[in-house]
């Protein structure tokens, strides 16, 4: 009865907020007509290339073209969005990226496509029209992105648990206003849940003091693959795009009419070969995210910095921490930040933090941020669920490029929206904003570029323009992959959701397994649906390094760093065969990829949970039990075990394991790296497991399983068998 009464009161109180939102909406009626619905622009007249030009051909185009209309610097979501917008308007377009497409912030997001519930709250509370416009625009872009890349994105219900009665009407008003602002583009209507229904949908939730919950809908996507889809679409429409191509300096010329020095292109270097060349363009666009100021200073060394970088850390945990299709929002953490807890790629992603940082190409997640997220997760999950540090399978840090508006009188204020700036020399800079609004940011940038440089271009045509793989995708496409090629259902679903209508091209590259089923499609690692054929296809998508494959063509590094490391040797072998790498290059690729996993994807933080300085905090009975288990392998009482000891025990229980795999398993626990595991190291491992610092240790699980099998095989004493005389 109390729950019903609160719901009734909530509806009554919501009227005021609805009126406020209606008032804000009325003030923006004259805004762009495109905001009201997602309608495709006029068809693009330029033809689409059936085959993507190889990277070598793209570099040749960059070198041989006398002058481009537009040169975009930066291959993140915004830069690729600018290239697609430009080429679809009929402009001769080039794009260069120092690293790989989406190698920076665009691959390290929360994976949400959202309008921003928090921004709407501020708009209502402060009657802030700019905040309202920001949310309205983002909700329009959310609808567009879900439409043009349906294989890479989908609506996701997100639960907001409520632990105080008065919060129920407060949050409901805000969420209903969010639905109202979305209008016809509302994904699905939000709703209130009782305590029992909330726990039914999200059984991991903390039960005590739970009043109920509110569920609303936003979008979710595969960010790196989405970024890549934008880049590939631009390339298919004729843009000359090249990753691993660095801008060394900007080119200049004197305008004969004004006498001003103008930016007219860039001196570029192919990082893979070291070759340098000039790319000339009527307009240069700086879309480099956190590195915005470094390019601006190439134009003018005296210009003030506008980027204020902020680090956002995310962690990935096993899928059992959240329901398959329900996210969670913690609206007020212990320090006022917001934490999302979301299912993603059959895992659980939690984040983010917001900490001032220095700009770097290699941001590293800190233990402090990881532990902060874990603490907040513990606050919202049931005490039945032990949130263990060892369950952090991957972690990463992304640098969010917050900006101040250089044209604003108050240069210290952070701009909530994106900023487009045209310098005196004609360099166009786009900075700030967020993933969801990349397309509208690109539109505003090209509008400014066309105006500033008098470019002959048509109107923006990217609303409703399908991205790579989206045109002929359908929810049942994976069934054809299973039926036509003999792929596992899980693998087929993964390919369809990753490549859309291009999944058939990947399937054609899949090798026969030699098994009855599946017929084709050898997995890179057993627990993930990534197959070897994807490595070959990644090369068509401009992958140049092993890191490109494990982090942005597949998402293995973002899901499980140990699984990614396990897959690396095979990935490098496939790439080496296709690209004619020599042994030295293979060795370098392996070392670079392992370094990437260790520092940037949280492997270092994970491995440091077990060190040679780790304390052994076990009870005497546990020490005795684990010592006996250890000695079942160390039969000679040497005080350590080697690969040969483990192999001998496994042979006794008819289990055979590859020596290389055994070496990897022991190496995880071999703290002093002497090729053997001492008793002390084993006890440190078991202590760390008990404390939750380490989980899923392959050696611990293997030794426990072997011990149980050995006990079952021991002869039963006569007195226990009921025999004797």
């Amino acid at each position: 009865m109390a729950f019903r009464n609160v719901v009734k009161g909530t509806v009554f109180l919501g009227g005021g907020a609805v009126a406020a939102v209606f008032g804000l909406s009325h003030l923006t009626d004259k805004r762009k007509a495109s905001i009201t619905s997602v309608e495709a622009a006029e068809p693009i007249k330029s033809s689409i290339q059936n085959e993507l030009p190889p990277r070598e051909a793209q570099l040749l185009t960059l070198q041989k073209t006398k002058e481009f209309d537009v040169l975009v610097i930066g291959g993140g979501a915004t830069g690729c969005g600018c290239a697609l917008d430009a080429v679809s308007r009929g402009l001769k377009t080039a794009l260069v990226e120092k690293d790989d497409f989406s190698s920076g912030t665009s691959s390290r997001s929360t994976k949400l496509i959202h309008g921003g519930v928090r921004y709407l709250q501020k708009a209502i509370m402060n009657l802030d029209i700019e905040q309202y416009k920001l949310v309205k625009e983002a909700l329009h872009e959310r609808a567009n992105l879900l439409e043009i890349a349906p294989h890479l994105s989908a609506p996701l219900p997100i639960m907001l648990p409520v632990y105080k009665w008065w919060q129920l009407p407060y949050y409901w008003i805000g969420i209903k206003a969010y639905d109202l602002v979305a209008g016809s583009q509302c994904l699905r209507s939000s709703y209130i849940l009782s305590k029992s229904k909330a726990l039914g949908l999200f059984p991991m939730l903390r039960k005590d003091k739970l009043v109920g919950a509110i569920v609303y809908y936003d979008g979710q996507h595969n960010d790196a693959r989405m970024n890549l889809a934008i880049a590939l679409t631009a390339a298919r429409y004729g843009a000359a795009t090249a990753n691993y191509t660095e801008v060394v300096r900007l080119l200049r010329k004197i305008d004969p009419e004004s006498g001003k020095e103008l930016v007219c292109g860039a001196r570029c270097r192919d990082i893979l070969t070291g070759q340098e060349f000039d790319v000339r363009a009527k307009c240069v666009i700086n879309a480099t995210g956190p590195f915005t100021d470094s390019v601006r200073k190439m134009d003018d060394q005296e210009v003030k910095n506008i980027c204020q970088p902020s680090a956002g850390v995310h962690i990935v945990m096993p899928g059992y921490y959240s329901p398959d299709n329900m996210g969670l929002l913690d609206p007020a953490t212990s320090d006022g930040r917001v934490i999302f807890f979301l299912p993603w790629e059959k895992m659980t992603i939690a984040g983010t933090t917001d900490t001032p940082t220095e700009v770097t190409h290699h941001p590293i997640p800190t233990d402090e941020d990881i532990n902060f997220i874990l603490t907040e997760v513990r606050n919202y999950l049931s005490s039945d669920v032990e949130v263990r540090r060892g369950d952090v399978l991957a972690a990463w840090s992304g640098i969010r490029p917050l900006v101040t508006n250089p044209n604003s009188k108050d240069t210290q204020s952070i701009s909530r929206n994106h900023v487009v700036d045209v310098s005196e020399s004609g360099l166009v800079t786009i900075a700030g904003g967020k993933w969801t609004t990349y397309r509208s940011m690109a539109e505003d940038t090209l509008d400014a570029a066309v105006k500033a440089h008098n470019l002959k271009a048509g109107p923006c045509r990217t609303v409703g323009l399908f991205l790579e793989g989206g045109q002929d995708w359908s929810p049942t496409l994976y069934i054809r992959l299973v039926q036509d090629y003999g792929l596992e259902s899980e693998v087929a679903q993964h390919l369809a959701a990753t490549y859309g209508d291009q999944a058939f091209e990947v399937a054609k590259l899949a090798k026969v397994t030699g098994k009855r089923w599946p017929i084709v499609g050898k997995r890179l690692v057993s627990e993930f649906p990534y197959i070897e054929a994807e490595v070959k296809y990644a090369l068509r998508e401009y992958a140049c390094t092993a890191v490109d494959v494990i982090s942005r063509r597949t998402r293995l590094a973002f899901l499980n760093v140990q699984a990614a490391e396990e897959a690396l040797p095979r990935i490098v072998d496939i790439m080496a065969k296709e690209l004619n790498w020599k042994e030295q290059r293979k060795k370098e690729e392996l070392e670079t990829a392992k370094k990437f996993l260790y520092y940037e994807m949280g492997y270092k933080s994970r491995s440091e949970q077990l060190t040679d300085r780790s304390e052994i905090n076990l009870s005497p009975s546990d020490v005795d039990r684990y010592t006996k288990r250890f000695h079942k392998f160390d039969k000679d009482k040497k005080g350590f075990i080697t690969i040969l000891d483990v192999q001998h025990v496994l042979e006794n229980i008819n289990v055979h394991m590859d020596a290389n795999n055994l070496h990897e398993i022991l190496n995880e626990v071999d703290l002093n790296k002497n090729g053997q595991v001492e008793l002390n190291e084993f006890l440190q491992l078991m202590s760390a497991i008990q404390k939750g610092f380490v989980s899923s240790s392959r050696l611990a699980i293997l030794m426990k399983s072997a011990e149980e099998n050995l006990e079952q095989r021991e002869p039963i004493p006569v007195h226990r068998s009921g025999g004797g005389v």
Side-chain angles (χ1 to χ4, degrees), residues 564-579:
E565 185 182 45
E566 184 182 327
L568 267 176
R570 183 58 188 145
I571 289 171
V572 170
D573 282 344
I574 295 170
M575 295 183 76
K577 185 176 180 181
E578 296 294 316
L579 300 173

Side-chain angles (χ1 to χ4, degrees), residues 323-344:
D324 290 339
N325 192 37
M326 179 68 74
L328 182 75
L329 168 63
D330 177 357
T333 62
S334 56
D335 67 350
R337 291 184 272 192
V338 170
I339 290 286
F340 284 99
F341 194 61
L342 311 166
W344 183 67

Side-chain angles (χ1 to χ4, degrees), residues 579-595:
L579 300 173
N580 298 315
W581 287 347
K582 294 181 180 179
E583 285 301 316
Q584 181 60 31
R585 175 65 188 273
K586 288 174 64 176
K587 183 179 178 181
E588 290 171 358
E589 284 292 328
L590 277 171
E591 289 177 355
T592 301
K594 287 182 178 180
K595 185 177 179 181

Side-chain angles (χ1 to χ4, degrees), residues 40-41 43-44 46 48 50 144-153 226 229 233 236-237 461-475 477 480 496 498-504:
I44 299 170
S46 58
I48 301 176
N50 292 326
N144 182 65
L145 200 48
L146 288 167
E147 182 177 312
I148 64 177
H151 57 304
L152 292 170
S153 59
M226 186 73 80
T233 306
R236 284 197 188 276
Y237 276 106
R461 300 179 184 276
T462 53
V463 173
L465 178 65
F466 278 104
L467 299 182
E468 175 88 352
Q471 182 82 51
D472 296 319
W473 175 87
S474 73
L477 183 145
R480 288 174 55 197
T498 302
Y499 304 95
D501 58 29
Q502 297 297 309
F504 297 101

